[in-house]
Amino acid sequence: MNAYIPYGKQDISQEDIEAVIDVLRSPWITQGPAIDRFERAVADECGARYAIAVSSATAGLHLACLAAELGPGDKLWTSPNTFVASANCGLYCGAKVDFVDIDPKTYNLSIAALERKLAEAEKRGNLPKILVPVHFAGQSCEMAAIGELSQRYGFRIVEDASHAIGARYGDRPVGSCQYSDLAVFSFHPVKIITTGEGAIVLTNREDLYQKLIRLRTHGITRNADFMTEESHGPWYYQQLELGFNYRLTDIQAALGSSQLQRLQTFVNRRRFLAERYHQLLANFPLTRPWQHPDTQSSWHLYVIRLNLEQIERTHRQVFEALRAANIGVNLHYIPVHTQPYYQQLGFKWGQFPEAESYYREAISIPLYYGLTEAEQDYIVETLAEVLSNRAS
Ligand SMILES: *Cc1c(COP(=O)(O)O)cnc(C)c1O
């Protein structure tokens, strides 16, 4: 049997290792020049004006919500088909969280469901302050439509682009913030590029940028322009608000800059493997990922959806058989509103039926830069066996 194949993993090159060692030998291992270089490089890559490196996308989403002035009494809406962090950021700010059901084809939040929910919320005086669209699996949400709705209803947009560095929407990279206030990339090792832990927040707005910079470091400023009184001397700083230590180290930023140079290589390989899956799985009793024509995915995930009425095994049996064959399949995502913590807040099974029926059928199969074609063939062959009626 094959060695264990995870669903995703990082690829670290000799150049990456040397970039990290260079920082370790330099005078700055945190808050030094490697951070600025990484921020500039990501901003340029995406065509956004400002980039702020932070310790994780969870921290980035929290700061983005604070910068957009989310607070008690406000509402944040997101997709139920996401990692819990996309919703938790609202709760950190003392806001209420609600969800918009997903589109059955893209598995991103549904524009039709969003329109309906906004119209209802307007009647009740219950509109959200922030919407967090999640670019699921690396495929952008329909940002032009979401942007239009944000103009009409006056909410802010924080893109959870954790899966989507290297993806495109229309003729621009995801992260350009063309239709949004802020966007957040994650650099956790399973994502497209990695810094170990880490993230970048992007924005085109100077005011949001200044706020993010402060909130990342305890709410402190050393810039006399923002101080409430004359500086006491060269040592002086002021804490203007309650911030955090959400900084990235220079060690991590150097790894990020080095990884960023291979972004297109990574995404091209993922796209090649995704297209190969698409061919190989053509006649299987499952639904392959559907791509909206306005998007080019970064292919963070390759999700198959089982056609359960055509097979004689349950979703769980298929999942377990693949794991037993050393294939590290996973499930993205357990609908957030079904988590016990969210059920305690009053959410119930049945509230977001598209996300729930997706959950009963979805399996993420391995996809990452270093996955070989032989491994991919093994995954496809095993899947064929598991899904066939012969197998027991
Ligand atoms: C990974 C992920 C996060 C959290 O990222 P961290 O950098 O691990 O904090 C948030 N949202 C989504 C959709 C993710 O996949």
Side-chain angles (χ1 to χ4, degrees), residues 174-225:
V174 168
S176 75
C177 299
Q178 185 182 8
Y179 299 101
S180 71
D181 299 283
L182 298 134
V184 183
F185 292 135
S186 170
F187 305 131
H188 181 277
V190 296
K191 310 291 162 76
I192 308 292
I193 65 168
T194 191
T195 57
E197 297 279 357
I200 283 262
V201 185
L202 296 144
T203 184
N204 289 323
R205 282 177 46 183
E206 157 90 23
D207 60 327
L208 295 178
Y209 171 70
Q210 293 298 348
K211 249 187 135 174
L212 289 165
I213 288 284
R214 270 208 304 278
L215 289 168
R216 177 176 67 178
T217 301
H218 310 281
I220 282 172
T221 188
R222 292 175 186 277
N223 183 340
D225 296 348

Side-chain angles (χ1 to χ4, degrees), residues 23-33 35 248-252:
V23 168
L24 289 170
R25 295 207 164 109
S26 80
W28 299 93
I29 59 172
T30 196
Q31 288 183 278
I35 295 286
L248 196 72
T249 65
D250 276 46
I251 304 166
Q252 294 168 302

Side-chain angles (χ1 to χ4, degrees), residues 89-344:
C89 57
L91 301 180
Y92 295 156
C93 298
K96 285 226 160 79
V97 167
D98 202 354
F99 302 94
V100 180
D101 208 354
I102 63 169
D103 179 285
K105 282 168 89 177
T106 62
Y107 317 141
N108 279 329
L109 64 79
S110 153
I111 302 300
L114 178 61
E115 280 177 342
R116 277 196 302 275
K117 198 172 173 101
L118 286 166
E120 291 241 322
E122 189 178 40
K123 277 187 225 147
R124 296 203 193 118
N126 208 13
L127 284 165
K129 183 152 190 183
I130 291 184
L131 180 75
V132 179
V134 181
H135 304 315
F136 178 75
Q139 177 173 210
S140 176
C141 295
E142 294 162 65
M143 293 306 296
I146 293 172
E148 227 166 84
L149 290 168
S150 81
Q151 301 284 316
R152 186 146 105 226
Y153 291 100
F155 57 84
R156 305 257 168 81
I157 303 172
V158 175
E159 297 172 70
D160 184 343
S162 289
H163 299 180
I165 191 168
R168 298 181 74 83
Y169 174 71
D171 58 3
R172 297 205 198 180
V174 168
S176 75
C177 299
Q178 185 182 8
Y179 299 101
S180 71
D181 299 283
L182 298 134
V184 183
F185 292 135
S186 170
F187 305 131
H188 181 277
V190 296
K191 310 291 162 76
I192 308 292
I193 65 168
T194 191
T195 57
E197 297 279 357
I200 283 262
V201 185
L202 296 144
T203 184
N204 289 323
R205 282 177 46 183
E206 157 90 23
D207 60 327
L208 295 178
Y209 171 70
Q210 293 298 348
K211 249 187 135 174
L212 289 165
I213 288 284
R214 270 208 304 278
L215 289 168
R216 177 176 67 178
T217 301
H218 310 281
I220 282 172
T221 188
R222 292 175 186 277
N223 183 340
D225 296 348
F226 298 110
M227 290 185 186
T228 58
E229 58 176 282
E230 194 85 348
S231 169
H232 300 178
W235 65 86
Y236 194 59
Y237 59 81
Q238 283 191 337
Q239 182 184 350
L240 297 173
E241 60 204 308
L242 188 61
F244 305 86
N245 177 354
Y246 278 170
R247 293 187 299 263
L248 196 72
T249 65
D250 276 46
I251 304 166
Q252 294 168 302
L255 177 56
S257 292
S258 182
Q259 287 258 304
L260 189 66
Q261 293 184 18
R262 289 193 292 156
L263 176 61
Q264 277 323 310
T265 309
F266 287 159
V267 171
N268 289 343
R269 173 72 183 169
R270 285 173 176 275
R271 183 169 300 139
F272 168 81
L273 291 168
E275 275 164 17
R276 200 160 177 274
Y277 268 139
H278 193 78
Q279 308 283 327
L280 293 169
L281 298 175
N283 297 311
F284 282 50
L286 53 82
T287 305
R288 296 164 294 168
W290 182 83
Q291 300 300 295
H292 190 288
D294 294 344
T295 66
Q296 266 182 276
S297 182
S298 56
W299 289 103
H300 168 53
L301 300 172
Y302 193 94
V303 176
I304 56 171
R305 223 176 139 164
L306 304 180
N307 296 345
L308 289 170
E309 67 293 344
Q310 291 172 28
I311 60 179
E312 288 178 0
R313 288 183 161 193
T314 65
H315 177 240
R316 181 173 178 155
Q317 283 168 341
V318 172
F319 194 102
E320 286 176 342
L322 292 168
R323 281 274 179 98
N326 257 350
I327 299 169
V329 288
N330 218 309
L331 211 172
H332 302 91
Y333 285 98
I334 306 160
V336 177
H337 70 282
T338 70
Q339 293 290 352
Y341 187 79
Y342 280 84
Q343 301 252 307
Q344 279 169 38

